[in-house]
Amino acid sequence: MTLSALDRPIQFVKGVGPVRAEALGRLAIVTARDLLYHVPRRYDDASTLTPIGRLEVGMEASVVGRVRSAGVIPTRAGLRIFQAVLEDVSGMITASWPGQPWLARKIREGDRILAAGPVKFFHGRQLQPREFTLLGRDDDTVPSPELGEGIIFTTYPAGESVPQWVLRGIVRRNLDELLKAVAEEEYLGADELESLGLPSLRGALERLHRPSRMQEVEEGRRRLAWDELFFLQLVQALARHRGAEAEPGIRFTRTNALIRPLHEHLPFRLTEAQARALREIFADMTSARRMNRLLQGDVGSGKTVVALFAMLLAVEEGRQAALMAPTELLAEQHARSLTELTRPVGVKVRLLTGGMSTVERRDRLAALASGEPQIVVGTHALIQEGVELPRLGLVVVDEQHRFGVRQRMALGEGEGRPDVLIMSATPIPRSLALTLHGDLDLSVLDELPPGRTPVRTRIRRPSRREEVYRAVEEELKKGRQAYIVYPQVEESEKTELKAATEEFQRLSEEVFPHRRVGLVHGQLPSQEKDEVMRAFQEGRIDVLVATSVVEVGIDVPNATVMVIEHGERFGLSQLHQLRGRVGRGEGESWCAVVADPGEVARDRLSVFESTTDGFRIAQEDLRIRGQGDLFGDLQHGRDPMLRFADLTRDEDLLLRARRQARQVVAEDPELAQPEHERTRRVLLGRHRERLELWKVG
Ligand code: ADP
Ligand code: MG
């Protein structure tokens, strides 16, 4: 493969050289391509600039002017102020930067600068820039605002090592050549571009560096967003193809021998959403394609029943099904509820955990190795430690979000290619789900079974904590149980432990001295953790003090109170998960968040107070935190971040990218056809790490 001009080291780009190359390296600009993709972070439309002559005290304004004179003025208080007189054709103004005398080395007479900030009254009008950009000394390509509208000033991400005007100069000198080179990488045809409503690659980058209207910036961004989304989806479509289609899976036949009787004995009707998910799952399982499906649904939406029907389809066929939970305690809980649910149809449900006696374990292993059709429940160790399941037909994984891409990819590598169903109780916006899990098919339970009473939620200031405790005590008197949760403290594990331990002591000795109070935190060995949780589950503890480790799926129907301390430190989704611990039984439940909210937290907390809909919460979380944060949380084996795509705005692009990527892979999985030649080159050239992560490299 020939190297493109874009792959040449930045040092060899006009106007750079070894010294500047090193400085640019600090901005992650290593090749010519990096320079081309280093797009401005800010755009100021000339129509938003104010002629200097028209500045008035009290305005917030952006101006472009030339520096007439500049210098540092000492004040009596010892503060040194840098001042520059700025001029354009309409007038002059003093710009003043208190406490920044070092600017004298940067801003000199004759420079043109773009400055933005408030105009104050101080010996007349004075501009106090919050932000400024050096436009370069003799840069007459940057005209005055009077010269007309349609001029947009760009500000690049720059740093101490590379001043703004230097970067702008380098870009300007090289842009046309770089644009010509990038045109060679265009993989979309004219008609495709038109139907997507996107500019060419070259057009997009030109719009981003040299927009002539504000709207062009957005057009350019969307094109680069498309590229990101498309190649991510393409890699995932390839992974999906490898996982599901390249070799056939099991084609299950539905006899209904177990499914029908279970359906008849179920004490409730399936929700619409459950029925839909089941149709999707059965369609996958009865086709020759191997199933690789994500079942997403909020806490309590009834995922277990759906998984059970899927497992019965496998068992009907004379096969085994495995359900894997993240902890032993959760495995036990699943085994209990599955045993309960399958009683009418008499399927064997077996639990396999590390806590079993050697004899017990040996018996179980032998039963499994016999290949007898049945359901086996355990932790991930179930498949990792080579438990013999000769007729394994379906693997169900619970609580998938603790699972990175890498582990997920390892799942399907076993013998016999069982179908895979992954369940997640973390509702995330559809756009994010499709981005993180583009290799999977998605079923969503977006509906709760009828008759649930929503958990009442109250936000309380710390000054009302006593009141909250009294309300907790009222519930305890009725024989209910309560959680009191503290945030994990970031600084150090020791601090976290100390905070939780101290609070535990205070609560058990001073607040609830006559109650049984338990403590669980992240530093406990998992066996002890399980022990405390079990005691709580069995009602031997009234109040459980916990850091946010409270098991995601833990089910204690008698617990009706959730108190969250320092609520302002929790993210929305985390709050939602915690609230999901209550409201699982007959009793009416409530959640109190003790918080001292600042501006940001207030927004978050009022969303939390106003809805219990996990998907709405997830959408708001995405809006408030931005996708970067969410990516960090949700993905362990981390994919390089999306820089241009914005999942809150680009869902339409994402869906098209996904459809197109899947279509390409369906038609030409090796990307060997001539019309995919460029796509393939870009993929192999620029997405290697990603291909490796998704095991398609
Ligand atoms: P999830 O795993 O999604 O949090 P579960 O599968 O544990 O939810 O279901 C929560 C509770 O709701 C269980 O007690 C289950 O028996 C019950 N349930 C599930 N589906 C329905 C339904 N369609 N109607 C009424 N109750 C249901
Ligand atoms: Mg569950």
Side-chain angles (χ1 to χ4, degrees), residues 23-24 26-29 38-42 106 131-134 154-168:
L24 287 166
R26 264 171 261 156
L27 296 174
I29 302 175
H38 192 78
V39 303
R41 64 174 167 81
R42 174 185 162 136
K106 300 187 83 174
E131 195 165 10
F132 74 93
T133 304
L134 276 177
T154 51
T155 306
Y156 286 89
E160 278 304 297
S161 57
V162 194
Q164 189 62 225
W165 63 273
V166 171
L167 196 51
R168 291 168 54 85

Side-chain angles (χ1 to χ4, degrees), residues 268-271 274 297-306 334 341 398-399 423 425 445 449-450 452 555 584:
F268 46 73
R269 276 177 57 123
L270 293 180
T271 62
Q274 283 171 318
D298 211 344
V299 168
S301 58
K303 293 183 291 295
T304 314
V305 183
V306 173
H334 273 306
L341 283 164
D398 192 13
E399 308 303 354
M423 304 197 287
L445 299 182
R452 300 269 167 87
D555 191 12
R584 308 171 72 86

Side-chain angles (χ1 to χ4, degrees), residues 299 325-330 333 399 401-402 483 485 520-521 526 529-530 533-534 544 546-556 562 577-578 580-581 584:
V299 168
T327 67
E328 302 226 327
L329 192 67
L330 288 171
Q333 193 175 289
E399 308 303 354
H401 64 283
R402 297 173 178 221
Y483 297 92
V485 176
V520 59
H521 56 75
S526 62
K529 215 184 323 183
D530 277 6
M533 299 303 293
R534 192 169 290 123
L544 183 65
T547 55
S548 42
V549 297
V550 181
E551 292 303 344
V552 184
I554 198 71
D555 191 12
V556 183
M562 170 60 68
Q577 284 294 333
L578 289 170
R581 297 305 99 222
R584 308 171 72 86

Side-chain angles (χ1 to χ4, degrees), residues 243-244 284 289-294 420 422 439-441:
D284 279 359
R289 257 196 71 231
R290 180 178 187 204
M291 175 164 74
N292 233 326
R293 186 169 282 279
L294 176 64
V420 177
I422 296 173
D439 60 319
L440 303 174
D441 295 301

Side-chain angles (χ1 to χ4, degrees), residues 61 139 163 175 220 227 239 294 299 378 397 402-403 416 529 547 587 620 633:
D139 184 358
L175 189 58
D227 286 358
L294 176 64
V299 168
V397 187
R402 297 173 178 221
F403 241 48
K529 215 184 323 183
T547 55
E620 291 293 319
D633 274 10

